[in-house]
Amino acid sequence: MSIPKGKLIAIGGAEDKGTDEREVFHLNNLNFFGLGILRRIVEEAGGPASRIEVITTASTIPYEVGNNYLDAFGKIGCTNIGLMHIRGRETVNDGDFLKRIKACDCVMFSGGNQMRLTAVFGGTEFLKIIHKRYQQGNFVIAGTSAGAMAMSSTMIYEGNATRAHLKGEVKTTTGLRFMDNVIFDSHFEKRGRFGRLAQVVAANPSCIGIGLGEDTGMLITQGDRMEAIGSGLVIILDGHNIHHTNIADIPEGSPLSLENLVVHFCAKGNGYLIKERKFIELMGKETTPVMTDVY
């Protein structure tokens, strides 16, 4: 595939929207307002005047979700926001939607159920336009929670965290195909999803697993360079050098055995090169503190 000129921003969910929970966040040393994933989306899209279309298809409460984003973006001075409450395939190729998707600077897929995204948009002219714009220009595709998980070609759509160590408990299908060589998982730390991403990587070791924590994301440029943004961790699972796994030989419901899965923890400013499978300490403008004076 050609190197895309656009950018992906995959977010683990619960990105800060300027809620009244900020006092709790500060008590936990989480400076959500300073880190500002939504601010970064606006910056990458071209600034406060940029046109951002929020697609609420994955959600069962699209109008509430949409209004939350209007309020959140408004708090950071970005008011040129459109809402696309696309509920089914019968309306996805509506002329107005196609016109708007051709004219905007950024699309943002909300959270909800990622299967709704693939079922509604798969194979449509609407999705083809997004793919073309991502490949050919400075176009931003952002997604949170389900919206992030649907970005890859291989998409997790089901898998209880407490049973994810058992073969067959994690289900995958084809995603929206913005990236071929990765697999995203969201709400990664709080919902204990290490096991389910590990199982999918064991079955697809040529793919890099990207576990996105809450209010944390990856900014992906050139289809390969990833920069961690937000307040938490992105956990990278690399299965290229797995020495042993039993996943192909055991029956359904049996525990997974896995040797030499490589794991990286990326905090804000850290990066990762997918093709080289290389951790980068300073990918962004700033990074986490590093001790230099140790006695």
Side-chain angles (χ1 to χ4, degrees):
M1 294 180 64
S2 61
I3 297 174
K5 296 180 180 179
K7 303 168 186 174
L8 300 179
I9 301 178
I11 308 159
E15 69 282 4
D16 172 52
K17 302 182 186 70
T19 67
D20 291 334
E21 297 173 298
R22 56 186 176 273
E23 294 300 328
V24 176
F25 294 151
H26 284 304
L27 287 173
N28 286 288
N29 296 318
L30 299 178
N31 187 14
F32 280 19
F33 284 79
L35 295 169
I37 287 179
L38 293 185
R39 291 180 186 274
R40 188 62 181 270
I41 291 173
V42 173
E43 177 186 333
E44 297 296 336
S50 59
R51 177 67 176 180
I52 299 174
E53 295 284 359
V54 177
I55 300 173
T56 61
T57 304
S59 178
T60 57
I61 48 171
Y63 293 96
E64 180 179 338
V65 167
N67 288 335
N68 284 341
Y69 276 106
L70 287 178
D71 181 62
F73 280 114
K75 288 177 179 177
I76 56 177
C78 188
T79 58
N80 193 10
I81 308 295
L83 302 178
M84 292 190 176
H85 301 308
I86 301 171
R87 308 313 297 161
R89 293 182 68 87
E90 64 277 4
T91 59
V92 68
N93 288 327
D94 178 83
D96 179 60
F97 288 142
L98 297 184
K99 181 179 178 180
R100 288 167 59 184
I101 213 69
K102 290 177 181 178
C104 67
D105 302 295
C106 169
V107 294
M108 181 165 185
F109 292 93
S110 77
N113 182 342
Q114 56 268 35
M115 186 71 86
R116 284 192 54 81
L117 293 175
T118 56
V120 170
F121 294 112
T124 63
E125 182 64 21
F126 186 94
L127 185 59
K128 291 177 183 177
I129 292 170
I130 294 178
H131 270 271
K132 184 177 181 180
R133 296 204 63 199
Y134 170 60
Q135 286 292 325
Q136 297 183 354
N138 185 29
F139 186 66
V140 177
I141 303 173
T144 184
S145 190
M149 294 182 66
M151 287 183 171
S152 50
S153 292
T154 301
M155 180 186 79
I156 299 171
Y157 71 89
E158 186 177 311
N160 186 297
T162 61
R163 296 179 58 83
H165 64 292
L166 304 177
K167 179 180 176 179
E169 290 292 327
V170 184
K171 311 295 185 184
T172 62
T173 188
T174 302
L176 298 179
R177 300 182 298 105
F178 300 130
M179 294 189 73
D180 287 333
N181 48 359
V182 301
I183 302 166
F184 294 103
D185 206 347
S186 63
H187 298 280
F188 198 67
E189 297 167 82
K190 290 191 176 181
R191 299 187 186 178
R193 289 176 168 175
F194 187 98
R196 78 175 194 174
L197 186 56
Q199 179 170 158
V200 179
V201 170
N204 302 271
S206 64
C207 291
I208 298 294
I210 305 173
L212 302 161
E214 294 191 331
D215 193 51
T216 306
M218 276 292 195
L219 167 64
I220 304 160
T221 57
Q222 301 175 37
D224 177 68
R225 297 171 57 87
M226 300 199 300
E227 175 194 342
I229 59 177
S231 65
L233 285 178
V234 178
I235 298 177
I236 305 292
L237 304 187
D238 180 359
H240 284 73
N241 295 320
I242 289 175
H243 292 163
H244 158 79
T245 179
N246 64 352
I247 194 167
D249 302 316
I250 57 176
E252 298 280 313
S254 298
L256 177 69
S257 171
L258 191 59
E259 179 192 8
N260 209 47
L261 178 68
V262 177
V263 179
H264 306 280
F265 280 36
C266 295
K268 182 187 179 186
N270 295 152
Y272 190 80
L273 302 179
I274 299 171
K275 292 177 184 176
E276 298 181 38
R277 308 199 316 277
K278 182 179 180 181
F279 176 92
I280 305 294
E281 179 189 330
L282 182 56
M283 181 72 82
K285 298 176 182 177
E286 55 183 304
T287 188
T288 48
V290 178
M291 285 195 298
T292 55
D293 298 322
V294 180
Y295 299 96

